[in-house]
Amino acid sequence: QVQLVESGGGLVQAGGSLRLSCVASGRTFRRYTMGWFRQAPGKEREFVAASTWSGSTAYADSVKDRFTIARDTAKNTVYLHMNSLKPEDTAVYYCAASTAVVASVVLPESYHYWGQGTQVTVSS
């Protein structure tokens, strides 16, 4: 099994930045597909960003050119750098991992392990 521990959420003003961290344990991190999702009250969980085994990345159109996903293999950690934050970015952000082959990185059902979520609030 894999355990994911998230941190870095908080309250920021519109236009500000945050860095979320997700530390993984239990398996070989370098072979995980890692994803970030978010969910606002009353909304469906939506894809934000992903990093595959091969090192490729993917982003939702709503965050492209503002958010960056990065991995530190030595620390078993994946990061989400969030810049130019907007009030509509307010949500609980979840880290997710898959130790199997992933057909589509944007689908929540592709991931077997999830973190507890961390709250990001952007004020206007």
Side-chain angles (χ1 to χ4, degrees):
Q1 63 181 10
V2 176
Q3 182 178 10
L4 305 176
V5 180
E6 303 171 344
S7 61
L11 173 65
V12 297
Q13 294 182 333
S17 300
L18 280 175
R19 186 186 72 170
L20 306 183
S21 300
C22 174
V23 181
S25 63
R27 300 286 290 274
T28 303
F29 175 79
R30 64 181 296 176
R31 300 198 66 181
Y32 296 175
T33 294
M34 304 295 299
W36 286 97
F37 292 77
R38 66 187 183 186
Q39 187 167 22
K43 303 289 183 63
E44 297 292 318
R45 186 168 299 188
E46 66 174 344
F47 170 76
V48 176
S51 174
T52 70
W53 292 0
S54 62
S56 63
T57 58
Y59 298 92
D61 288 342
S62 59
V63 306
K64 189 176 181 180
D65 299 324
R66 298 191 298 121
F67 292 8
T68 302
I69 189 170
R71 302 171 75 129
D72 187 333
T73 302
K75 296 182 178 180
N76 284 0
T77 301
V78 63
Y79 303 97
L80 185 67
H81 298 267
M82 304 185 294
N83 300 312
S84 302
L85 284 162
K86 306 174 181 179
E88 50 263 46
D89 294 318
T90 295
V92 176
Y93 283 70
Y94 297 91
C95 177
S98 176
T99 58
V101 176
V102 173
S104 177
V105 299
V106 308
L107 299 177
E109 54 263 38
S110 294
Y111 300 85
H112 300 101
Y113 305 98
W114 294 83
Q116 78 285 355
T118 185
Q119 177 71 47
V120 172
T121 303
V122 184
S123 64
S124 59

